[in-house]
Amino acid sequence: MKGPVGAFKRLLLHLLERANALFVLFRQLNQDYLIFMGDIFSMKAEQRSIPNFHDSDCQPDSLCVACALVLVAQHRFTGFKEKFGRWPGPDEELFFDGTRPEPVRARPDQIKRQILDAAEIHNLQVAPLLSFFGIQSDLN
């Protein structure tokens, strides 16, 4: 793994190794979100292991779900810090309602919009991210 692509892969692997706690948070967020949504979505929550979402063929122009989640998390962490002037705590919402003075879980349409915004900014494939969070792509 030499050159820019190799360096990028090493960086991504390093970020994945260092982001284990973040992945646990995402897994819990995913489960909490699906439980919270209840009857709104027809699909049932599946137990998924985030490491299974990392694809060894992950490329800079086509990231796997695990690597894309790192960028979505980075985007949401930055948004949290910009809004509240501090980094989020372990039990605080990364998908928060930006109109509120405190971090409160966003509505489903706001969560989808926040994922779409992060995907657009980081040039990520949207469908796998929405699928990971159990969000139907046709939800308005």
Side-chain angles (χ1 to χ4, degrees):
M1 285 195 304
K2 293 187 178 191
V5 172
F8 184 75
K9 281 187 173 183
R10 284 191 303 278
L11 175 62
L12 283 177
L13 290 174
H14 177 74
L15 286 174
L16 285 173
E17 290 169 0
R18 306 263 310 173
N20 189 38
L22 180 61
F23 290 145
V24 170
L25 176 67
F26 267 114
R27 183 173 33 236
Q28 186 61 48
L29 176 64
N30 183 36
Q31 290 170 355
D32 291 347
Y33 176 76
L34 291 171
I35 290 168
F36 172 76
M37 292 306 299
D39 296 330
I40 294 177
F41 297 122
S42 59
M43 59 189 291
K44 300 276 185 193
E46 296 175 17
Q47 290 293 335
R48 301 178 206 152
S49 170
I50 292 181
N52 291 341
F53 279 83
H54 179 65
D55 182 353
S56 61
D57 293 327
C58 180
Q59 298 294 318
D61 60 342
S62 180
L63 296 179
C64 66
V65 174
C67 294
L69 285 173
V70 171
L71 292 177
V72 171
Q74 174 192 6
H75 184 78
R76 297 308 308 148
F77 268 76
T78 301
F80 190 101
K81 182 155 174 62
E82 288 173 357
K83 171 67 179 170
F84 302 111
R86 60 181 176 79
W87 296 111
D91 296 327
E92 292 184 294
E93 301 291 339
L94 286 181
F95 296 101
F96 57 87
D97 182 340
T99 65
R100 303 283 300 270
E102 69 283 339
V104 174
R105 182 185 300 266
R107 295 184 323 267
D109 61 314
Q110 293 172 318
I111 292 172
K112 181 180 180 186
R113 180 78 261 154
Q114 291 169 7
I115 293 168
L116 293 174
D117 288 346
E120 182 178 343
I121 287 171
H122 296 287
N123 197 31
L124 304 172
Q125 296 177 11
V126 174
L129 287 170
L130 293 178
S131 176
F132 175 82
F133 286 106
I135 299 173
Q136 296 173 352
S137 58
D138 60 345
L139 178 67
N140 293 324

